[in-house]
Amino acid sequence: ETGVTQTPRHLVMGMTNKKSLKCEQHLGHNAMYWYKQSAKKPLELMFVYNFKEQTENNSVPSRFSPECPNSSHLFLHLHTLQPEDSALYLCASSQVTPERGYTFGSGTRLTVV
Amino acid sequence: RKEVEQDPGPFNVPEGATVAFNCTYSNSASQSFFWYRQDCRKEPKLLMSVYSSGNEDGRFTAQLNRASQYISLLIRDSKLSDSATYLCVVNTGNTPLVFGKGTRLSVIA
């Protein structure tokens, strides 16, 4: 248990479905991040939230919609995804000035069929 | 020049060997540095933080050379369980952290 919890751990969805990924951190951090990692590829930063305000959107398609209601919770709403969106989606948290690095959740392994 | 560069490997080494990875960074104002370990299909986990010239934790030693802008990770007496991808991460002072693409290590019996 790292202090960052992601649910669900695995998700299979059709291209017309709508689903949401959830991330919750109990570390008192005030920055949260979404990353995508395709098979055997490096991490790709998607979104950054500082004090629940979005500070970075790394040219992510609009079929991915983040939501950060407070500093402890982060969601990623998914709709009309494509098979190439299948990947491991990782949430991370840190202090706004990440002097101690990030703590990652265990990720959601998403398969789009 | 990429912000953080690592040799992707793979490094294939026998058990008990000593192996070293280097990482170079482009931003001379970078403030702190980290090595993360990522197992296949798992999340990255913090292995070591590197705040000054370097530090040691058991079989692992991380060193920082600010003049040449590189960080190294040395693993002594390699174990099978050390097989993973090692990510070099740099704090430039602006979020987010900058991750290298990783160096893959395979320790062979």
Side-chain angles (χ1 to χ4, degrees), chain A residues 38-104:
Chain A
S38 302
K40 299 187 179 180
K41 294 287 180 64
L43 293 169
E44 298 175 49
L45 179 66
M46 299 176 74
F47 301 103
V48 179
Y49 278 83
N50 291 333
F51 295 103
K52 70 178 185 175
E53 298 297 323
Q54 188 180 121
T55 55
E56 188 154 338
N57 175 337
N58 203 20
S59 302
V60 180
S62 60
R63 59 186 183 271
F64 296 90
S65 175
E67 178 189 0
C68 189
N70 55 61
S71 292
S72 299
H73 294 84
L74 186 64
F75 296 88
L76 188 62
H77 304 298
L78 316 171
H79 64 97
T80 60
L81 294 192
Q82 304 299 312
E84 60 264 29
D85 296 321
S86 299
L88 179 67
Y89 289 84
L90 290 160
C91 172
S93 71
S94 72
Q95 297 298 339
V96 171
T97 50
E99 292 165 350
R100 299 193 177 195
Y102 293 173
T103 301
F104 284 87

Side-chain angles (χ1 to χ4, degrees), chain B residues 1 3 24-27 30 33 64-66 69-70 90:
Chain B
R1 183 180 176 184
E3 287 193 87
T24 58
Y25 60 94
S26 60
N27 188 331
S30 297
F33 309 87
L64 167 64
N65 185 318
R66 285 191 184 274
Q69 294 182 206
Y70 80 81
V90 176

Side-chain angles (χ1 to χ4, degrees), chain A residues 2 33 35 37 42-43 45 48 50 56 88 90 95-107 109, chain B residues 31-32 34 36 38 40-46 49 51 87 91 93-102:
Chain A
T2 65
Y33 314 83
Y35 282 85
Q37 189 170 36
L43 293 169
L45 179 66
V48 179
N50 291 333
E56 188 154 338
L88 179 67
L90 290 160
Q95 297 298 339
V96 171
T97 50
E99 292 165 350
R100 299 193 177 195
Y102 293 173
T103 301
F104 284 87
S106 300
R109 185 157 301 281
Chain B
Q31 301 172 359
S32 53
F34 310 91
Y36 276 72
Q38 185 174 24
C40 188
R41 299 168 68 88
K42 297 287 184 69
E43 76 275 20
K45 294 183 178 178
L46 182 63
S49 303
Y51 291 112
L87 304 173
N91 176 14
N94 303 309
T95 54
L97 296 178
V98 182
F99 282 76
K101 294 181 186 288

Side-chain angles (χ1 to χ4, degrees), chain B residues 46-57:
Chain B
L46 182 63
L47 179 65
M48 297 182 76
S49 303
V50 189
Y51 291 112
S52 55
S53 60
N55 48 294
E56 184 173 323
D57 183 3

